[in-house]
Structure formats: C-alpha cells, structure tokens
Amino acid sequence: MVNGLRPKNLDEALEILSKQQCTVIAGGTDLMVQRARGFAIAPAFDKPLLFIEHLSELKKIYIDDEGIHIGACAILTDIIQNETIPSIFKEMIEQMASPPTRNMATIAGNICNASPAGDTLPYLYAVNAKVKLKNINSTRIVNVSDFIISPKKTCMRSDELLTDIIIPDKEFEHNYYRKLGQRKGMSLTKVSLLAMADVSDGKILDIRITLGSVAASIVRSPEAEKYMTGKDTSEIKAVTETILGKYNNLIRPIDDARSTAIYRKKTSLRLIKDFLEKIS
Ligand SMILES: Cc1cc2nc3c(=O)[nH]c(=O)nc-3n(C[C@H](O)[C@H](O)[C@H](O)COP(=O)(O)OP(=O)(O)OC[C@H]3O[C@@H](n4cnc5c(N)ncnc54)[C@H](O)[C@@H]3O)c2cc1C
C-alpha cells in the first residue's frame, strides 16, 4: 500500500520533506503514466506520495519587480486564461495535450519532468526564466537552463519543492511557434521551434530561437543570436546559410517511436529558415 500525505499548507509540505523522502505529485499526468504497471494494476511508488496540487500558495500568478511569477501548481488552463502571461506562451500551452489534461497538468510538473519534449521549455529557455526552489530553511533561485541537467534529471534536492517560475513581463514584436507532432491535438512533440524578435527601423534589436525535442535538452545558440543582433533584416537572406550552420551542430536528434533523427534535423533547419524569411 502507498502512503499518501496531504499537507495543509506549503510550510507543512516543506516540513514533511525535511523529515522524510517523498515522491512529490502535482497533477500526476506524467508521474501516473511513468509508474503505470498495466490495466487495473495500481501504479508502483516506493516512497510516500506528497500531494501538492491543492496548495493555494503554489497557484498564484502575479507581477512584481522581478517579473511575472507563476506558481508551481498553476495548471496549464489557468496560465492560458491569465491576462498577464505573454501571448506566445499561451499559444504554446494551448497546443499541449487536451483540455482535460490541461486542467490537471501543472507548469512545474512539465519543468521537473525535464524532458527535451516538454513544451513549456522552449519559451522558458528563450526568456531566461528562473525557478524558485525552497526547503524548510532556505530559498534559492536558479535559471531553468541550469535547473535541468539532462533528460529526467534536475538539480532539485530531495527536501526541496519548486515553488515559483519567474519570467520577464515582456512581449516580443515577432513571434513564431511551430510544434510538429503525429497529429494536431493530443500529440507529443517531434520537433518544435520558438523564435521571437524585436526589430526597429529594419534592425534586429533582440532575437531568441529555441528548439525542442531535437537534442538532450532545449537547443539555443547564444552565438547565433549575437551574430544576428544588430543586423539589418535585409542582410539576413545573404547570411542564412551561416546562421543555419551555427545551429547545425547543436541539433543532435535521436530516432525514437515518434520520429527519426534525419526528419528532426532537416525540419528544424527548415523551420529556422522559414522564420528568418518571415522577418527579412
Ligand atoms: C494525455 C497526455 C498528453 C500530454 N501532452 C503533453 C504535451 O502536449 N506536451 C507536454 O509537454 N507534455 C504533455 N504531457 C505531459 C504532462 O501532462 C506535462 O508534462 C505536465 O505539465 C506535467 O505536470 P503534472 O502536474 O501532471 O506533473 P506530475 O506528473 O505531478 O509530476 C511530474 C514530475 O514533477 C515533479 N514535480 C511536480 N511538481 C513539483 C514541484 N512543485 N516541486 C518539485 N517537484 C515537482 C514530480 O515529482 C514528478 O517527478 C501529456 C501527458 C498526458 C497524460
């Protein structure tokens, strides 16, 4: 039998984690699938389950001087419906799973699962999002790109909870997101590309490009972004091959049940090219 713990508030949850090892469960939409053992057989858990999805302290979405704070247990539906969230991020989340799953799934669950196919991650990497990690005594703030170490592995300690995600309060002028899957809805990502740019008087002021599902973690090239920043958009066509070359080595996909490495590589480069054509 699995022991389930349902703390009254965040402090109680952190106190429990300071005393014993638990498996944290939020919406359970990743965990229950990963631990499934077959039809009519209860999933297997070797540690007590710590339920956190009901904790109101972890559901708030608000803005302060640091940026937009999204509570760890904000469900995807609440993020889509919140007016402070940048529109491209909402557009990305609207393409995840299906309405019933989005009513259960939390943003922190998507981050902590640390999958290169996690669909919130291309945005969080692109905007240098941070996560707040708390244990009973202290709080630390870590970049999402440092928090995720490798597929399924994060730097979170066993006595910590992820409590907040912090993103800048900023909309980009040009936004481009393509998620390619087996079908339009309820589909896990084969390749995704997020590109955002600010252009003024024909000059690129800021540009961010991230790719999901095409390497062990989200792909972003500071070198390529630096190369493009300051260029006139009319110059981009002439240097497109140079830009694609900077991404080529970083895109290291695998063959798996969803797609092939060759499809993922070719499609990624085509999507980058398509975005560059759209802004030039
Ligand atoms: C039908 C279906 C469709 C899906 N479609 C998509 C999709 O299109 N795109 C996509 O990216 N994902 C998809 N998913 C995966 C999943 O829904 C998301 O990753 C979701 O955001 C996970 O959130 P959760 O709250 O359910 O996480 P859980 O399953 O509760 O937890 C996931 C992991 O995070 C840990 N965790 C959760 N919250 C915290 C916290 N606050 N602090 C510390 N650790 C924590 C848990 O211990 C666990 O290891 C799909 C899943 C299903 C079942």
Side-chain angles (χ1 to χ4, degrees), residues 23-33 52 58 72-73 76 95-97 101 104-110 112-113 117-120 156 160-163 179 186-188:
T23 298
V24 172
I25 182 162
T29 61
D30 272 320
L31 215 47
M32 295 301 278
V33 175
I52 59 164
L58 298 182
C73 289
L76 301 182
Q95 293 181 44
M96 289 172 70
T101 307
M104 295 293 295
T106 65
I107 183 165
N110 197 246
C112 294
N113 196 43
D119 285 326
T120 64
M156 192 158 48
E160 285 179 325
L161 278 179
L162 194 164
T163 59
K179 165 176 168 162
M186 277 297 274
S187 182
L188 296 180

Side-chain angles (χ1 to χ4, degrees), residues 163-212:
T163 59
D164 283 60
I165 296 94
I166 308 164
I167 59 171
D169 178 16
K170 173 175 169 57
E171 294 271 4
F172 283 82
E173 190 190 333
H174 295 272
N175 294 283
Y176 176 106
Y177 178 62
R178 298 288 184 276
K179 165 176 168 162
L180 305 183
Q182 200 62 26
R183 54 192 169 265
K184 212 161 164 49
M186 277 297 274
S187 182
L188 296 180
T189 300
K190 293 180 181 193
V191 176
S192 67
L193 178 100
L194 170 67
M196 302 183 292
D198 283 334
V199 177
S200 177
D201 291 333
K203 197 172 272 227
I204 298 173
L205 300 181
D206 193 349
I207 187 160
R208 320 276 176 102
I209 296 180
T210 49
L211 296 117

Side-chain angles (χ1 to χ4, degrees), residues 51-101:
F51 291 90
I52 59 164
E53 53 73 36
H54 59 287
L55 298 177
S56 57
E57 301 103 306
L58 298 182
K59 286 179 174 290
K60 293 176 186 146
I61 301 176
Y62 62 93
I63 305 187
D64 70 7
D65 293 347
E66 289 177 312
I68 302 172
H69 291 248
I70 307 175
C73 289
I75 55 168
L76 301 182
T77 305
D78 287 346
I79 298 172
I80 293 168
Q81 288 171 356
N82 192 287
E83 57 191 23
T84 61
I85 302 294
S87 42
I88 186 67
F89 194 31
K90 293 187 193 191
E91 191 186 303
M92 293 168 73
I93 294 175
E94 272 168 359
Q95 293 181 44
M96 289 172 70
S98 61
T101 307

